[in-house]
């Protein structure tokens, strides 16, 4: 039997309806409900309920509201329109859902980008906790964006006066190595930027607390600066990734066989490769690279001579990679990403630098090759290459539609994957230290474990 010390605590979780955000919220709910007396109801659109299927094991359940926003398929075509719908159409069906619950929740845990939840909570006397699935560094930038000079909004990296290369730490504490150019293109699009800023002014600034999916040791500067800035408690409870499912799977695996499931053939292929020899390639679930860039990546991988495992949903793209890729790699439609990153054969991760993928690579102790496109990706890429020094960033011209050539990609892959070079050894050493820190944070007595305990006490009292 579990201990009766903590009163039963029921949370209603509201993710922003995008894959990275939904995954982060589900992982947070897994971590919270692993504690005695905590349960969570995750509110999704009917479309997302269909995409996800059953909830994760444990005390997490799903509830759905109607599809009042544009479909997940094709939302990238009109981001301002999608955000407008999320900000204006979800509140009413959400309130009707709350009315159906047997009792009011102890708290609403809401993504930063569903800011209307704060007004709903205020009307009902339910505290709202803002969950930030971005890096704490990106949160610091967006929360204090008003402190940047007006030129920052025009500094998409190509401004002639060189402001793009200026650091923003002079204006926003805790953001070392981040430059104005790293804020493009999302923060140079007025329609998008207005909506991002609105999330902080109408939501975060009125929330009862803030939760980060990152962890203290990874972003200590940014988290310390935010704790000084915000009037409410701040909890860093990450890495919010599916590490609990991975641990259970390891515990339950008979004779080291992989559980049956989609696409385990690539795990057997990984088993047959030398330790640290495979570059895992996964370039995002939402924004994807152009056709021209895909060909350059495939050509660069072939020229580097590295073994690779590439996740590509599109069957045509997989066929092209098989044609161009030089026969040393495998392209698959799906992987259990954290399981792959933790496989001993994987020695590097070629990523867009979304926060979930970045946290998974940190947890796995795998160095990264970054090719960011937009949103928080350029900032995460800068953290990887300049602050943590656990990887290599490819040139930033991709934000302006430039294509990174295969020669540059091949050279970067060779630098990342060359086993004996001083640079690669140093990156691996740093990645290994962060891996140890990530795992220690989650264990009993670690920084994230303590913050989970404090958060549950805060919403239960």
């Amino acid at each position: 039997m579990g201990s009766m010390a903590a009163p039963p605590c029921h949370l209603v979780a509201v993710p922003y309806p995008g894959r990275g955000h939904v995954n982060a919220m589900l992982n947070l709910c897994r971590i919270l409900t692993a504690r005695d007396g905590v349960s969570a109801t995750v509110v999704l659109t009917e479309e997302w309920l269909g995409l996800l299927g059953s909830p994760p094991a444990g005390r997490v359940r799903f509830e759905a509201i109607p599809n009042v926003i544009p479909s997940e398929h094709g939302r990238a075509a009109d981001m301002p329109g999608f955000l407008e719908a999320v900000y204006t159409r979800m509140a009413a069906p959400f309130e009707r859902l709350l009315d159906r619950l047997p009792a009011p929740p102890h708290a609403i845990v809401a993504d930063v980008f569903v800011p209307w939840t704060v007004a709903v909570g205020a009307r009902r006397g339910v505290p709202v906790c803002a969950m930030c699935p971005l890096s704490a560094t990106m949160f610091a930038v967006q929360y204090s964006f008003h402190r940047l000079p007006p030129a920052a909004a025009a500094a998409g990296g190509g401004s002639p006066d060189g402001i793009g290369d200026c650091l923003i730490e002079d204006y926003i504490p805790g953001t070392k190595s981040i430059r104005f150019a790293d804020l493009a293109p999302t923060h140079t699009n007025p329609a998008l930027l207005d909506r991002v800023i609105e999330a902080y002014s109408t939501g975060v600034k009125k929330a009862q607390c803030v939760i980060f999916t990152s962890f203290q040791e990874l972003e200590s500067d940014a988290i310390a600066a935010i704790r000084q800035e915000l009037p409410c408690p701040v909890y860093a409870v990450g890495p919010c990734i599916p590490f609990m499912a991975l641990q259970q799977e390891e515990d339950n695996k008979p004779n080291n066989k992989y559980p049956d499931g989609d696409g385990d053939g690539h795990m057997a292929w990984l088993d047959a490769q030398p330790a640290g020899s495979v570059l895992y390639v996964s370039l995002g679930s939402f924004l994807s690279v152009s056709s021209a860039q895909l060909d350059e990546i495939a050509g660069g991988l072939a020229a580097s001579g590295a073994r690779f495992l590439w996740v590509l949903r599109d069957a045509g793209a997989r066929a092209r990679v098989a044609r161009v890729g030089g026969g040393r790699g495998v392209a698959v439609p799906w992987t259990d990403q954290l399981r792959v990153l933790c496989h001993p054969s994987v020695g590097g991760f070629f990523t867009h630098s979304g926060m979930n993928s970045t946290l998974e690579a940190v947890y796995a102790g795998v160095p990264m090759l970054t090719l960011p496109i937009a949103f928080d990706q350029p900032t995460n890429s800068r953290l990887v290459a300049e602050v943590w020094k656990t990887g290599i960033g490819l040139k930033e011209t991709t934000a302006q539609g430039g294509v990174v050539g295969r020669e540059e990609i091949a050279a970067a892959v060779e630098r990342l994957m060359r086993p004996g070079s001083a640079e690669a050894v140093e990156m691996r050493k740093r990645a290994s230290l962060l891996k140890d820190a990530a795992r220690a944070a989650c264990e009993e007595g670690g920084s994230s474990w303590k913050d989970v305990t404090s958060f549950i006490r805060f919403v239960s009292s």
Side-chain angles (χ1 to χ4, degrees):
M1 291 289 291
S3 118
M4 298 303 288
C9 172
H10 179 232
L11 306 169
V12 167
V14 190
Y16 172 86
R19 175 140 327 255
H21 297 253
V22 170
N23 285 347
M25 185 67 84
L26 291 181
N27 291 326
L28 173 64
C29 287
R30 280 193 193 103
I31 289 166
L32 294 174
T33 59
R35 300 297 182 93
D36 284 343
V38 182
S39 61
T41 299
V42 182
V43 178
L44 305 156
T45 61
E46 284 169 353
E47 180 181 34
W48 267 105
L49 190 68
L51 290 169
L52 290 174
S54 57
R59 293 185 294 269
V60 180
R61 49 191 283 270
F62 288 165
E63 286 280 354
I65 61 169
N67 292 326
V68 289
I69 55 171
S71 170
E72 169 67 6
H73 308 289
R75 71 185 169 99
D78 177 18
M79 265 310 289
F82 184 80
L83 266 175
E84 174 78 20
V86 169
Y87 278 25
T88 56
R89 295 187 207 157
M90 290 175 70
F94 175 69
E95 288 217 60
R96 290 195 288 274
L97 190 150
L98 285 180
D99 291 336
R100 297 202 304 269
L101 294 178
H106 284 76
I108 295 167
V109 178
D111 193 294
V112 164
F113 296 104
V114 281
W116 46 264
T117 48
V118 174
V120 171
R123 280 198 291 277
R124 291 167 175 260
V126 176
V128 176
C129 310
M131 191 271 304
C132 178
L134 313 173
S135 64
T137 307
M138 188 79 260
F139 178 98
V141 172
Q142 292 181 341
Y143 186 86
S144 298
F145 202 84
H146 59 279
R147 293 184 181 162
L148 295 176
S159 52
D161 55 7
I163 192 170
D165 292 324
C166 293
L167 296 176
I168 64 174
E169 194 176 18
D170 297 339
Y171 305 92
I172 301 174
T175 58
K176 61 183 181 187
S177 292
I178 309 303
R179 305 164 317 147
F180 285 118
D182 298 325
L183 305 181
T186 307
H187 301 83
T188 51
N189 174 328
L192 272 181
L193 181 61
D194 285 350
R195 282 312 202 186
V196 166
I197 302 306
E198 184 185 334
Y200 289 84
S201 58
T202 64
V204 171
K205 289 189 175 169
K206 296 174 185 169
Q208 269 71 44
C209 72
V210 170
I211 305 168
F212 286 112
T213 59
S214 187
F215 61 101
Q216 175 67 39
E217 291 77 5
L218 190 66
E219 295 190 87
S220 53
D221 289 352
I223 291 168
I226 291 161
R227 284 192 163 129
Q228 280 202 304
E229 178 84 15
L230 264 59
C232 65
V234 172
Y235 304 102
V237 302
C240 289
I241 57 173
F243 64 86
M244 296 164 104
L246 189 77
Q247 287 167 352
Q248 287 160 0
E249 191 178 275
E250 291 302 315
D251 294 344
N252 298 335
K253 205 159 63 178
N255 304 326
N256 241 12
K257 290 281 191 293
Y258 293 106
D260 292 332
D262 175 13
D264 278 327
H266 61 263
M267 296 305 290
W269 179 81
L270 280 176
D271 288 343
Q273 309 308 313
S277 69
V278 177
L279 179 67
Y280 172 61
V281 186
S282 179
L283 297 169
S285 57
F286 173 43
L287 294 167
S288 51
V289 296
S290 65
S291 179
Q293 185 65 79
L294 186 105
D295 284 342
E296 291 304 306
I297 294 169
L301 291 173
S304 76
R307 296 171 172 85
F308 64 88
L309 171 64
W310 192 346
V311 184
L312 283 164
R313 294 199 178 158
D314 181 70
R318 291 197 300 277
R320 274 162 67 197
V321 167
R323 244 189 348 266
V324 188
R328 293 178 67 80
V330 177
V332 296
W334 179 89
T335 63
D336 180 339
Q337 179 162 289
L338 186 58
R339 199 167 126 207
V340 168
L341 286 169
C342 289
H343 194 285
S345 295
V346 172
F349 180 17
F350 192 172
T351 172
H352 264 348
S353 302
M355 191 55 182
N356 293 341
S357 288
T358 300
L359 287 172
E360 290 188 3
V362 165
Y363 183 88
V366 174
M368 289 169 259
L369 177 60
T370 65
L371 183 64
I373 294 184
F375 305 129
D376 58 332
Q377 296 167 358
T379 299
N380 296 340
S381 168
R382 181 73 46 193
L383 291 171
V384 169
E386 302 292 333
V387 179
W388 309 328
K389 295 184 165 55
T390 54
I392 298 166
L394 286 164
K395 69 179 184 189
E396 296 90 14
T397 52
T398 38
Q400 279 69 44
V403 172
V404 182
R406 62 189 63 199
E407 297 82 8
E408 188 179 345
I409 290 165
V413 170
E414 284 170 26
R415 278 173 62 198
L416 189 80
M417 301 299 289
R418 192 181 299 140
S421 77
E423 181 185 33
V425 167
E426 190 58 32
M427 279 190 286
R428 276 175 176 61
K429 196 186 295 176
R430 287 173 176 275
S432 182
L433 288 171
L434 283 185
K435 166 185 169 176
D436 293 344
R439 292 168 189 233
C442 308
E443 284 165 12
E444 188 160 348
S447 61
S448 294
W449 187 91
K450 285 178 180 167
D451 272 15
V452 169
T453 306
S454 300
F455 168 73
I456 293 168
R457 202 174 289 139
F458 176 73
V459 293
S460 300
S461 58

